Amino acid sequence: MFNKFVLSNVEVINYDTKEFALTDADGNFSISAKKGDLLVFVSKNHELKQLPFNPALLVNDKLIVKVTLVAEELNEILITNTTAVTLKTNTKIEQIKRDEIKADREERKLKPLNVDDLSINKGLNVIRVVGFIVDKLKKEKEPIKRTVPEIAFYTLAKNSYDQNFYIKTLMLQPDQIELFLQFCDADPKSKTIAADQNTLSLMDFLFEKNTAFKNLNIVN
């Protein structure tokens, strides 16, 4: 939803299960998700939206998600010999032209050379879409890395997920959580994860280390 208007053709992806859905003309969609699953909403003219699913967010069994229009500064102005339009007073025409330019630029950015079109009419490759989302999220985080203070991996993991995540999602015993986080922190890769502070990278790393941690427990 944007400015109280429903949006159609918004791609909704459950990052944890890789399930995909598309909103209809009324903005409705249906997708399976459990508490803690990360839902990602992708719309060409709006900022990418991430939302950890929680049943408490449902209103009358519906999940209402608000998105933000992509802000982009115009670098070029083309003046042609056409009917004069005063952009300061005719805001409707100004916004239409901005949207046309923005949509054209976004379309070119979302279609790299030698990569198939990801539009729905050509058959959506969900894995490829998820890969695009991960890459976009990493790029969004790059400017932030220069301003966000360094944080230890242990602190980042503790602050990002509550105890229920480690117990119910990773299936750890309460007395194993501290040991598990120390096990993760010992991996040199954890320093990179902590520096990036990327939610999806952190989650993937925790799942990867959880498997290794449980295998280690079995061996011991």
Side-chain angles (χ1 to χ4, degrees), residues 130-142:
V130 172
F132 155 72
I133 292 172
V134 173
D135 182 64
K136 184 174 178 63
L137 290 175
K138 287 180 179 178
K139 290 181 180 178
E140 288 180 349
K141 293 295 181 180
E142 287 175 358

Side-chain angles (χ1 to χ4, degrees), residues 54-64:
N54 188 329
L57 299 176
L58 296 176
V59 178
N60 296 327
D61 294 328
K62 291 186 177 182
L63 181 64
I64 300 176

Side-chain angles (χ1 to χ4, degrees), residues 182-208:
Q182 294 174 17
F183 175 73
C184 294
D185 193 58
D187 189 329
K189 185 179 178 181
S190 66
K191 306 302 183 294
T192 302
I193 299 295
D196 290 342
Q197 296 189 35
N198 183 288
T199 302
L200 297 180
S201 297
L202 173 61
M203 182 177 294
D204 284 342
F205 180 70
L206 288 174
F207 276 110
E208 175 186 337

